[in-house]
Amino acid sequence: MTDDRWEPPSVLLAVDLVILTLRDARLHVLLVERGVEPYQGAFALPGGFLHDEDEGIEAAARRELAEEAGLADVHLEMIGVYGDPGRDPRGRVVSVAHLAIAPWLPDPIAGTDAASACWTPVEDVLFASAYVQLAFDHRRILADGVERARTKLEHTSLATAFCAKTFTISELQQVYEAVWGVRLDPRNFYRKVQSARGFIVPAGPMRRPQSGRPARLFKAGPVQALYPPMVRSTQPGHEVLGGHAAGIAPEGGEHA
Amino acid sequence: MTDDRWEPPSVLLAVDLVILTLRDARLHVLLVERGVEPYQGAFALPGGFLHDEDEGIEAAARRELAEEAGLADVHLEMIGVYGDPGRDPRGRVVSVAHLAIAPWLPDPIAGTDAASACWTPVEDVLFASAYVQLAFDHRRILADGVERARTKLEHTSLATAFCAKTFTISELQQVYEAVWGVRLDPRNFYRKVQSARGFIVPAGPMRRPQSGRPARLFKAGPVQALYPPMVRSTQPGHEVLGGHAAGIAPEGGEHA
DNA sequence: TCAATAGTGTCTTTGAGACAGTATGTC
DNA sequence: GACATACTGTCTCAAAGACACTATTGA
């Protein structure tokens, strides 16, 4: 680090949250309507500034998660940093974006202060001619968060974070289908998920149908990294309508 | 974002660089000796504070890359943010860590101001009973950076960033062996690398042996994502001596 | 009975890993 | 010639994808 007599500039640090969940088999993100300038009235990702000098970044993210979404004990990981000068008209604001995964149906948000928060289908925001415009660079942050979720579904047990404590295999399949925007063969999915060692483990001989044969219940297994992985078939032909995979540049790295 | 009448705290923003390269078939990282407090005399990752209010984060990383390592036009990507309160005794310093990959043999650093910079074998720093102690939380940053490189080698063409503009297949194999800390079968590696569509393309019928049969030269192909991927054999039995894979927690995400 | 979903089996293709064998250079 | 490295072929096994088939529920 350079340590001269000169004073380095300081910045405002914020956290922003990409909170994803599944609602009626579609991927949704939690948005809030901004009540103040800038971007008053526009939708934005939940987030806020550090509370005080001594607050850790993840602590701030969890605080916002509780304050704005009423969520606790959910999967949370850092996505990256967004700090382009000029991204916020108020000055130099650097935002640390986080990805949170909420299990489905935690109600449209309990009675939190975030009265204006609402779950929005991700495609409505990310699709080329999007209905919903987001404040700041939040559309890009959302795109990166979704891409992160897609990738982690392949190699980790993240999908179980979308489910309740116990779940059926077809519920798990819905997660993959919604996040990837593809349709999968139930029979092959069944085998594949079972053959990934430690991914899911049986949770009682229980059952709970609606129509059709009752299904076994499972819970998340011990492993974090999947082997064999749940590879997304690269050879196309599976994309389902509204696939939001287009028009997003997921990776920022450049080669020489 | 919360927008009250209260003033949010500001922080100092720094960039730190994990610059990796290959030297005599081993993975090395560039370290600098700190000339001032804190941690005077200790080794640290190259890095520094933002220069001014208007400097972008990636721009700052590239500036440090040039100033401290004399490198330009190399692969650069963000690793993550390290901002625990108390990580820097000077106050609240939030560091954005980056991973840079330098092609091998750019000389032990040209005549830059970083006279004290030196390439250090990664294992010497990361191994359990490490010889080299790093300042701040830089050991953890290095571990995360190495883990990032390991993972990206599987699914992207990042390995070519370690090589010169043209390279032989066995040179590419050395990259994988050094970064993963494993030994690979040359025959299978040959086939595998060739079957990954768009990974490498022939670069002239050239050749350049030292002993043994001359090898064909290749250059980096057009694709970024590898298919099929170069999967690290999960079933162990391949780790080579000094494997630094142990004792590192690469992932910070937690499930509910 | 049918509709609907759960779960099993089987076949084909692709790729991973082991390793024999051939090609082409230097000494 | 020996030696070293580059490259090819072949075998076996594991897993992906396609899809026929059976099982178990409710209506």
Side-chain angles (χ1 to χ4, degrees):
Chain A
M1 303 202 177
T2 11
D3 263 306
D4 298 315
R5 189 147 299 281
W6 134 102
E7 276 291 317
S10 60
V11 304
L12 293 181
L13 198 69
V15 293
D16 282 313
L17 294 168
V18 176
I19 312 174
L20 300 178
T21 197
L22 239 63
R23 295 172 70 79
D24 45 69
R26 291 169 76 201
L27 188 63
H28 284 66
V29 60
L30 189 71
L31 299 180
V32 296
E33 197 180 341
R34 288 185 55 81
V36 298
E37 291 294 343
Y39 294 100
Q40 183 166 23
F43 282 96
L45 298 173
F49 292 109
L50 277 197
H51 222 71
D52 57 75
E53 277 264 341
D54 294 327
E55 186 177 48
I57 296 176
E58 182 178 329
R62 292 212 177 269
R63 177 177 50 74
E64 294 290 340
L65 205 46
E67 285 178 13
E68 304 224 45
L71 291 171
D73 298 323
V74 299
H75 174 92
L76 180 68
E77 66 180 273
M78 186 184 298
I79 297 171
V81 195
Y82 298 80
D84 286 349
R87 66 179 287 274
D88 191 316
R90 288 168 294 188
R92 189 67 192 267
V93 176
V94 171
S95 174
V96 182
H98 295 258
L99 173 66
I101 308 292
W104 45 25
L105 307 175
D107 304 343
I109 303 183
T112 68
D113 24 327
S116 57
C118 61
W119 293 110
T120 312
V122 165
E123 350 173 6
D124 290 359
V125 188
L126 244 38
F127 214 4
S129 54
Y131 311 127
V132 184
Q133 300 282 338
L134 294 191
F136 308 106
D137 49 3
H138 286 189
R139 184 180 189 275
R140 175 157 159 57
I141 296 178
L142 173 60
D144 291 349
V146 170
E147 182 56 34
R148 169 74 67 94
R150 284 192 179 131
T151 307
K152 290 202 77 169
L153 243 50
E154 295 192 74
H155 307 288
T156 75
S157 53
L158 180 65
T160 58
F162 281 95
C163 299
K165 201 165 293 180
T166 65
F167 49 86
T168 67
I169 289 188
S170 66
E171 283 168 351
L172 194 60
Q173 181 179 343
Q174 280 184 47
V175 174
Y176 279 90
E177 292 186 333
V179 178
W180 285 352
V182 299
R183 189 144 292 271
L184 303 172
D185 183 300
R187 291 98 55 144
N188 291 334
F189 183 85
Y190 199 95
R191 258 195 305 100
K192 206 168 171 179
V193 132
Q194 298 256 51
S195 70
R197 274 78 84 163
F199 186 10
I200 58 174
V201 296
M206 318 267 296
R207 47 183 63 180
R208 48 168 182 187
Q210 255 174 309
S211 80
R213 172 177 175 176
R216 279 183 272 176
L217 285 179
F218 294 84
K219 60 180 179 182
V223 312
Q224 225 270 338
L226 295 189
Y227 191 84
M230 306 285 296
V231 183
R232 245 188 304 184
S233 66
T234 314
Q235 260 59 323
H238 282 280
E239 289 76 20
V240 92
L241 61 137
H244 15 73
I248 301 167
E251 280 286 300
E254 312 97 47
H255 270 195
Chain B
M1 301 201 177
T2 11
D3 263 308
D4 298 314
R5 188 147 298 282
W6 135 102
E7 277 290 318
S10 60
V11 304
L12 293 181
L13 198 69
V15 293
D16 282 313
L17 294 168
V18 176
I19 312 176
L20 300 179
T21 197
L22 240 64
R23 294 173 70 80
D24 44 69
R26 291 169 77 202
L27 187 64
H28 284 65
V29 60
L30 188 71
L31 298 181
V32 296
E33 197 179 341
R34 287 184 56 79
V36 296
E37 291 293 344
Y39 294 100
Q40 183 166 24
F43 282 97
L45 298 173
F49 291 108
L50 277 196
H51 222 72
D52 57 75
E53 277 265 339
D54 294 328
E55 187 176 47
I57 295 175
E58 182 179 327
R62 292 212 177 268
R63 177 177 49 74
E64 293 290 341
L65 205 47
E67 286 177 13
E68 304 224 44
L71 291 171
D73 299 322
V74 298
H75 174 91
L76 179 68
E77 66 181 272
M78 187 185 297
I79 296 172
V81 196
Y82 298 80
D84 285 349
R87 67 179 285 275
D88 191 316
R90 288 167 294 186
R92 188 68 192 268
V93 176
V94 171
S95 174
V96 182
H98 294 258
L99 172 67
I101 308 292
W104 47 24
L105 309 175
D107 304 343
I109 303 180
T112 68
D113 25 327
S116 57
C118 62
W119 293 109
T120 312
V122 165
E123 351 173 5
D124 290 358
V125 187
L126 243 38
F127 216 4
S129 53
Y131 311 128
V132 185
Q133 301 281 339
L134 294 192
F136 307 105
D137 50 2
H138 285 189
R139 184 180 189 275
R140 175 157 159 59
I141 296 177
L142 172 60
D144 291 351
V146 170
E147 181 56 34
R148 168 74 66 94
R150 284 191 179 133
T151 306
K152 290 202 78 168
L153 243 51
E154 295 192 75
H155 306 288
T156 76
S157 53
L158 180 65
T160 58
F162 281 95
C163 299
K165 200 165 293 181
T166 64
F167 48 86
T168 67
I169 289 188
S170 65
E171 283 168 351
L172 193 60
Q173 180 178 345
Q174 281 183 46
V175 173
Y176 278 90
E177 292 186 334
V179 177
W180 285 351
V182 299
R183 189 143 292 269
L184 303 171
D185 182 302
R187 289 103 56 158
N188 291 334
F189 183 84
Y190 200 95
R191 258 194 306 101
K192 206 168 171 178
V193 133
Q194 298 256 50
S195 69
R197 274 78 85 164
F199 186 9
I200 57 174
V201 296
M206 317 268 294
R207 47 183 63 182
R208 48 167 183 188
Q210 257 174 309
S211 79
R213 174 177 173 176
R216 279 184 272 175
L217 286 180
F218 294 84
K219 59 181 178 181
V223 312
Q224 225 270 337
L226 295 189
Y227 190 84
M230 307 284 296
V231 182
R232 246 188 302 184
S233 64
T234 314
Q235 261 58 322
H238 281 280
E239 288 77 20
V240 92
L241 60 137
H244 17 72
I248 301 166
E251 279 287 300
E254 313 96 46
H255 271 195

